[in-house]
Amino acid sequence: MPGRYFEDYAVGQKFGSGTATMNAERMKAFAREFDPQPFHTDEEAARHTFFGGLVASGWHTAAMSMRLFVESDITPVGGSIGAGGSDLSWPRPTRPGDVLRIESEVLDLRPSKSRPTIGIMKVKLTTYNQANEVAQIAYPAMIVPRRPAK
């Protein structure tokens, strides 16, 4: 399906995604580069931490969620252009073998006052694991092109 314009969205609309499986080696590699803490990088050390085992960095969960979001059926024209966001949380850790998927819900649509060719769409982005448990919640705002005048 071609991308959607601002006018093609409605508050309350929901969009789903495919899935991505979390792999222990990829989780450790990501953490070694970006969040080198023992509960992300070392399975034996992780057993003796708050988590009781290896967990993905929240930033890795966020990156995987972004990948799922970009590949989901929300598809704004011109791509997913971020304009900020708020309230990123990880209610549950992501573990090796978890199968993630996302659901996006349109919360607000606001035409730009200063740039009439775009609108701002606020979305609730929820990441679930294979047991339908919430792994992440985020509230991104996106720039979405308005439908060109004919």
Side-chain angles (χ1 to χ4, degrees):
M1 170 182 220
R4 292 177 171 89
Y5 288 98
F6 179 77
E7 292 79 9
D8 297 327
Y9 295 100
V11 171
Q13 209 169 8
K14 292 183 179 180
F15 300 91
S17 75
T19 62
T21 302
M22 298 299 283
N23 169 283
E25 293 311 311
R26 287 185 72 191
M27 288 167 52
K28 290 188 278 187
F30 182 97
R32 279 192 296 272
E33 186 169 358
F34 300 108
D35 191 357
Q37 299 186 74
F39 41 83
H40 299 321
T41 60
D42 182 320
E43 291 181 57
E44 179 57 31
R47 283 196 256 298
H48 306 287
T49 69
F50 171 82
F51 297 106
L54 190 70
V55 296
S57 166
W59 301 112
H60 191 180
T61 300
M64 294 298 287
S65 297
M66 183 64 192
R67 173 73 183 255
L68 290 167
F69 182 74
V70 169
E71 294 176 348
S72 77
D73 52 0
I74 198 166
T75 62
V77 166
S80 296
I81 302 169
S86 63
D87 300 324
L88 175 63
S89 64
W90 297 290
R92 158 174 323 285
T94 299
R95 299 187 181 271
D98 278 356
V99 179
L100 303 180
R101 68 177 178 82
I102 60 120
E103 180 180 271
S104 313
E105 179 181 1
V106 178
L107 297 179
D108 187 51
L109 294 161
R110 179 179 50 83
S112 173
K113 292 176 184 166
S114 61
R115 296 183 58 199
T117 59
I118 65 167
I120 305 298
M121 177 169 65
K122 187 164 185 181
V123 174
K124 179 181 182 186
L125 175 62
T126 307
T127 305
Y128 297 94
N129 66 19
Q130 68 282 354
N132 275 340
E133 299 165 326
V134 177
Q136 177 181 288
I137 303 170
Y139 294 88
M142 301 170 53
I143 296 170
V144 182
R146 309 257 338 242
R147 187 175 309 286
K150 293 184 180 185

